Amino acid sequence: MSLPLVLLLMWAVTYPLRLLGLSLGRLQLPPFWLNFLKFVPVSVFAALVVPDVLGSSEWARRLVGALSGGLLMWRTRHLALGILGGFAAYWLARLAGL
Amino acid sequence: MTSAFFPPFWRGYRLMFPLWLGMVPFAVAYALTARSAGLSLWETQFMSLTTFAGASQFAAAGMLGAGASALGIVFTTFLLNARHLLYGLSLARQLPLSRRQRPVAAQFLTDEAYGMVIVNGPKDPAGLSFPFLLGAELSLYSIWNAATLLGSVAGAALPNPQALGVGVIFPLAFLGLLVPLLVDRISLLVALVSGLGAWGLSRVLPGGLVILLAGVGGALLGAAFLTRSQQEDAPSEGRPMKEMP
């Protein structure tokens, strides 16, 4: 199979799912599934964060960064401050040889 | 387009600036991987312009370099990106899009745009709107493609992006979106189960599939608890349902 064809097929398996989800907004759903969709951000964000921290080869430093950043964001509700603080803590842990 | 389009569009566009910091090295690293796998500059760029999904582009570039089969690469891409269905479903609940808006919004949908828009969109003066979503989406699309080009052209002359430790930016950004959503015991439980479940699954399955499975599993658990407590409250009309902040 030629490379341009592979690239086109990659697009062809990605785009329709994005479109399908966005097209189902007017679907009438029972309460259970409405609740399901309410929890999607919580479950997806957690699933994006934890493996990226604990599953990393530098997990100890990242854990320090994530705990510091998370604590900052919890106390201040400020996204940029949390990211910068977490990144600083990550670097401190890294410089400390963790 | 009306003149009311651009103010929310630019607010959406600017919303993503903090994430550019993590995006640029990621795209540069993708371009380096793709070029070293033998993709031409145009092919490397074409993948960023069409598929536009970081993790699967990385995986595909790596697999091409390792001589994997074409069908294997396409199937991996499908598995990694199936989670986007969930983002579309969740977004469309809160933001009904017109027949013309949907195909446009779909092309540029990513983890980051979904996360930032679903949380910050309702706080925008214009509310969660199509221009705001498109602004956030195109913010990432423009920087992702610019950084892909940069990596393709200047790759060898750039410092190794991984060495800067910017890999920690993405989990931090999503953590920042997650923390304000942890408002009660059910959401805390959902986050714990999904997060730890994803960590366990990630040892045996590809990343995108892990997020889809853990995302669906966690949300099912939350829905089961919340629906039950709503039914218990139902006779007296109960307390108001918890809305996403």
Side-chain angles (χ1 to χ4, degrees), chain B residues 192-210:
Chain B
L192 273 174
V193 170
S194 313
L196 295 175
W199 179 35
L201 286 174
S202 68
R203 291 153 179 248
V204 286
L205 292 172
L209 186 60
V210 167

Side-chain angles (χ1 to χ4, degrees), chain A residues 15-62:
Chain A
Y15 180 76
L17 287 171
R18 288 173 169 165
L19 183 60
L20 181 64
L22 282 175
S23 302
L24 294 177
R26 297 218 171 89
L27 207 64
Q28 292 298 314
L29 292 173
F32 176 85
W33 291 105
L34 290 178
N35 288 338
F36 170 82
L37 288 174
K38 271 184 202 158
F39 282 109
V40 165
V42 173
S43 63
V44 165
F45 297 161
L48 284 163
V49 171
V50 178
D52 222 13
V53 173
L54 296 181
S56 159
S57 56
E58 46 169 20
W59 64 272
R61 305 163 182 171
R62 286 197 179 189

Side-chain angles (χ1 to χ4, degrees), chain B residues 37-225:
Chain B
L39 274 76
S40 70
L41 190 146
W42 167 239
E43 287 160 345
T44 302
Q45 195 69 43
F46 187 70
M47 207 198 293
S48 282
L49 287 167
T50 55
T51 300
F52 183 45
S56 67
Q57 287 183 229
F58 236 116
M63 289 175 80
L64 282 166
S69 80
L71 283 178
I73 292 167
V74 173
F75 186 63
T76 304
T77 306
F78 172 75
L79 286 183
L80 285 173
N81 292 339
R83 69 186 186 282
H84 290 115
L85 174 69
L86 211 53
Y87 301 157
L89 273 175
S90 169
L91 257 180
R93 258 337 297 169
Q94 318 206 24
L95 174 61
L97 296 170
S98 77
R99 193 179 287 274
R100 285 188 185 178
Q101 291 167 342
R102 269 179 247 145
V104 180
Q107 169 57 25
F108 309 108
L109 189 60
T110 52
D111 298 298
E112 293 83 5
Y114 163 72
M116 291 293 271
V117 168
I118 200 88
V119 170
N120 294 292
K123 299 178 200 159
D124 186 70
L128 185 55
S129 64
F130 172 69
F132 188 83
L133 170 66
L134 193 62
E137 288 184 339
L138 289 184
S139 184
L140 293 182
Y141 192 69
S142 51
I143 192 65
W144 180 256
N145 276 286
T148 298
L149 189 61
L150 177 74
S152 286
V153 174
L158 295 170
N160 176 8
Q162 308 298 349
L164 301 173
V166 291
V168 77
I169 297 271
F170 280 113
L172 281 173
F174 285 112
L175 190 63
L177 295 172
L178 176 64
V179 166
L181 298 181
L182 302 176
V183 290
D184 55 19
R185 270 188 292 181
I186 301 184
S187 49
L188 204 58
L189 178 74
V190 168
L192 273 174
V193 170
S194 313
L196 295 175
W199 179 35
L201 286 174
S202 68
R203 291 153 179 248
V204 286
L205 292 172
L209 186 60
V210 167
I211 291 154
L212 181 67
L213 289 177
V216 166
L220 280 176
L221 182 75
F225 276 110

